Amino acid sequence: MLKKMSIKKILVSTSALFALFLVYLIPKNKVNTLDNVKQEVEYVDKSVVTEEIYLLDSNNYLARTKVAISSKETDIEAKAKELIEVLIKDGIGESKIPNGFKSIIPGDTKILSIKYENNILKLNLSKELLDVSEEDEEKVIEAIVYTLTTIKEIDKIILYVDGDILTKLPKTKLNLPSTLDRSFGINKEYNITSTKDINQVTVYYVSKFNENYYYVPVTKYVNDEREKIKIVIDELTGSTNYNSNLMSFLDNNTKLLSVNNGNDLMELEFNNSILNNLSTKEILEEVIYTICLSIDDNYDVETVVFSVEEEEIYTSVLKEIK
């Protein structure tokens, strides 16, 4: 009897020790798995690199959105290649395209070579690049130029087709400069009555797909000799914008009181209608972005300061909003 009891005690002790060993091996609190998942997601998010790209939206505008890329920050050529791959229809980058957007470069187009040097990217594509409708021919060039110049190291593009610099579009007969930059324009609109005193101004608007806002640049050609920032603010206050597909969150009572531009800095003073909240003195992010993105395309400045009736409210470093 004593022997049986001893054996039973040994078995119970062994089982208890084994159970304690399992508890030691297995995480103490399995209910905490959500926290573990959250930490893993945060780690993955921090490792993902995104880059701006210009894709067609549902209204046929080239719009600014973002895609994930795997290239290293310092590998300019690889980064440019990935972005062009997303712009090619039915290409290997198609899975990266956000909902509501689509590519514009013809699907059979091949990337023949990419060379980066001294802030200029030389891009050589196959002749299928030009297999587009007359309506989209110019938009293809706009998408390439605006997408590649979102890479901060790239200022200009030299575009080749089968080894020859593209200097003329075959369908529209539009002559192209041998070196392209954002002065080429995007989503162009012409509101001119004379060939004299034409001002070219790019204005960024807000658009929406489902519940997500994004930004759409429109290059306007107008007979208006005023300072470009004044035209931008007038456009964003809605005084001349009648397109229901493009929005601005800038109150139509907003007035630009003064502009000081110099030493890589632009200071803008407004009345208090620019504020979203008078007590907290906040400006909507969408207002800041539409103004700053517009300034970045029209001026060579690095910082924008927003003031309301002589009180500084907000400072934006342009390279941080790209």
Side-chain angles (χ1 to χ4, degrees):
M1 183 72 175
L2 289 172
K3 185 176 181 182
K4 287 182 179 179
M5 290 181 65
S6 298
I7 293 170
K8 186 176 181 180
K9 286 181 180 180
I10 290 169
L11 288 172
V12 170
S13 299
T14 303
S15 299
L17 286 170
F18 182 70
L20 286 172
F21 179 68
L22 287 176
V23 169
Y24 176 78
L25 286 178
I26 298 172
K28 187 167 64 175
N29 187 3
K30 286 298 281 182
V31 180
N32 205 27
T33 52
L34 284 177
D35 290 336
N36 294 337
V37 169
K38 183 180 178 183
Q39 289 175 2
E40 289 176 9
V41 169
E42 287 177 350
Y43 174 78
V44 170
D45 284 346
K46 289 176 182 177
S47 67
V48 171
V49 176
T50 60
E51 196 72 43
E52 279 75 31
I53 191 170
Y54 285 79
L55 295 165
L56 283 173
D57 70 1
S58 57
N59 300 308
N60 209 37
Y61 283 111
L62 287 169
R64 178 184 184 268
T65 185
K66 290 187 176 183
V67 293
I69 62 171
S70 58
S71 300
K72 293 181 180 179
E73 187 69 25
T74 54
D75 195 339
I76 310 303
E77 292 173 4
K79 195 187 298 186
K81 184 174 184 289
E82 271 198 81
L83 292 175
I84 294 298
E85 287 171 346
V86 178
L87 287 179
I88 298 174
K89 294 177 182 179
D90 304 320
I92 59 176
E94 186 179 31
S95 61
K96 299 177 183 179
I97 297 175
N99 289 335
F101 298 92
K102 59 185 179 181
S103 307
I104 188 170
I105 296 177
D108 294 331
T109 305
K110 297 176 181 61
I111 301 172
L112 302 179
S113 66
I114 294 179
K115 179 69 175 176
Y116 170 75
E117 190 175 18
N118 298 327
N119 301 110
I120 297 176
L121 188 87
K122 297 178 180 179
L123 174 64
N124 187 15
L125 300 175
S126 65
K127 62 183 180 181
E128 287 79 10
L129 172 72
L130 303 174
D131 290 341
V132 293
S133 66
E134 183 175 335
E135 180 187 2
D136 286 341
E137 198 175 46
E138 197 170 344
K139 280 185 177 292
V140 168
I141 308 303
E142 294 172 3
I144 292 171
V145 172
Y146 264 71
T147 293
L148 293 179
T149 53
T150 60
I151 301 173
K152 63 184 179 180
E153 292 86 357
I154 299 175
D155 295 330
K156 297 179 183 296
I157 315 295
I158 300 178
L159 183 58
Y160 297 79
V161 173
D162 278 352
D164 296 322
I165 296 178
L166 183 63
T167 57
K168 190 171 187 175
L169 297 179
K171 294 184 176 70
T172 60
K173 308 303 180 184
L174 179 70
N175 291 320
L176 301 179
S178 57
T179 304
L180 295 157
D181 58 27
R182 290 201 174 196
S183 65
F184 184 71
I186 188 169
N187 297 316
K188 300 179 179 75
E189 288 185 1
Y190 296 87
N191 185 20
I192 55 176
T193 57
S194 170
T195 56
K196 296 180 180 179
D197 304 321
I198 297 176
N199 207 345
Q200 176 185 331
V201 185
T202 300
V203 182
Y204 279 75
Y205 296 95
V206 179
S207 196
K208 186 178 182 181
F209 179 78
N210 291 338
E211 297 304 313
N212 298 316
Y213 290 111
Y214 58 91
Y215 297 95
V216 177
V218 177
T219 301
K220 298 173 179 285
Y221 296 85
V222 293
N223 295 122
D224 192 334
E225 293 181 289
R226 290 181 301 157
E227 186 77 20
K228 291 187 179 186
I229 183 59
K230 294 181 180 180
I231 299 173
V232 167
I233 299 303
D234 274 1
E235 290 288 336
L236 292 177
T237 54
S239 59
T240 56
N241 177 31
Y242 302 106
N243 193 320
S244 60
N245 295 322
L246 300 177
M247 301 178 288
S248 171
F249 287 19
L250 189 61
D251 188 283
N252 59 12
N253 292 313
T254 302
K255 302 295 181 188
L256 179 60
L257 303 178
S258 67
V259 180
N260 184 16
N261 183 19
N263 298 323
D264 297 323
L265 174 71
M266 180 176 283
E267 298 173 285
L268 305 175
E269 185 183 359
F270 295 90
N271 65 351
N272 60 18
S273 293
I274 196 174
L275 298 173
N276 180 50
N277 188 308
L278 290 176
S279 59
T280 60
K281 296 184 177 179
E282 293 177 341
I283 305 174
L284 284 174
E285 179 183 285
E286 290 83 1
V287 169
I288 291 170
Y289 264 66
T290 51
I291 293 174
C292 287
L293 287 170
S294 299
I295 289 172
D296 194 44
D297 268 23
N298 291 291
Y299 293 91
D300 186 17
V301 298
E302 296 179 0
T303 305
V304 180
V305 176
F306 292 79
S307 296
V308 174
E309 296 175 353
E310 299 184 354
E311 180 184 355
E312 186 175 317
I313 301 296
Y314 187 85
T315 299
S316 177
V317 180
L318 295 185
K319 69 179 179 180
E320 294 177 358
I321 69 169
K322 290 188 174 183

